[in-house]
Structures are given as structure tokens and as C-alpha cells.
Amino acid sequence: MVQECSGGSTELYHFLIMKKTNLIIFATGGGSNAVKIIEHFSDHSTVQVKGIFCNNPNAGILDKAKDLDIPTYLFNRDDYKSGKVLEELKNWEAD
């Protein structure tokens, strides 16, 4: 049973309880920990992994993310220092 909010808007209530938390995982290596996190949240009702951010173009996680159909974003030190990575987090709607 859905209770109405004090303002009477059940639509707003549904939005608030159904919105998923969007995770971005930072990974630089083989990706075993990232894969465990992805698997853990794969069917979660309130959390989803939106992508992997990585600063190592040779990291194994990049192939694993591709196999799991998880988008990736590769960045370098200059991107990090300039704030570009933070801007990308906003573009990817990370929580």
C-alpha cells in the first residue's frame, strides 16, 4: 500500500522511493573487486553501477567491464587535475 505524502503527491513519493543510486567504480587494475561489486548490484532494486572510471589504459578491468556491458571512461592525470573527471561524474549522473 502506498501512502500519500503530506503534499498529496503519490507520484513524487513513487519517484523518491524508486530512484536508483548510480555508482561509478574507480578501478586501475585487474578488476576482481570491481567485478564483485558489479555482480552484487546486478539485480539490485535501488542501486546500479553506471560505469567504470580508470586511469590505466592497460587495466584488466576494461576488458571485464566490456564483457559485462558496463561503460568505461579512461582518464589521465591532467583530466583529473583539471576537473574533467569530476565533470564526467556529473555527466554520468553519479550519486
Side-chain angles (χ1 to χ4, degrees), residues 12-56:
L12 177 61
Y13 179 77
H14 282 135
F15 172 77
L16 292 173
I17 64 169
M18 297 183 75
K19 183 186 180 305
K20 286 193 174 195
T21 299
N22 296 321
L23 294 182
I24 297 292
I25 300 171
F26 282 77
T28 61
S32 59
N33 289 331
V35 168
K36 293 287 185 192
I37 293 169
I38 293 165
E39 289 171 348
H40 178 79
F41 289 115
S42 65
D43 292 322
H44 202 276
S45 62
T46 61
V47 177
Q48 67 180 346
V49 176
K50 289 281 278 194
I52 302 287
F53 278 37
C54 181
N55 68 341
N56 179 358

Side-chain angles (χ1 to χ4, degrees), residues 51-92:
I52 302 287
F53 278 37
C54 181
N55 68 341
N56 179 358
N58 300 312
I61 186 56
L62 298 173
D63 290 329
K64 290 176 182 173
K66 184 177 180 180
D67 291 343
L68 293 167
D69 201 28
I70 301 290
T72 58
Y73 172 72
L74 189 61
F75 65 93
N76 60 36
R77 181 175 295 181
D78 291 334
D79 296 334
Y80 181 79
K81 287 182 177 181
S82 71
K84 186 175 179 184
V85 173
L86 183 57
E87 201 55 41
E88 283 299 316
L89 284 170
K90 292 176 186 176
N91 292 339
W92 287 47

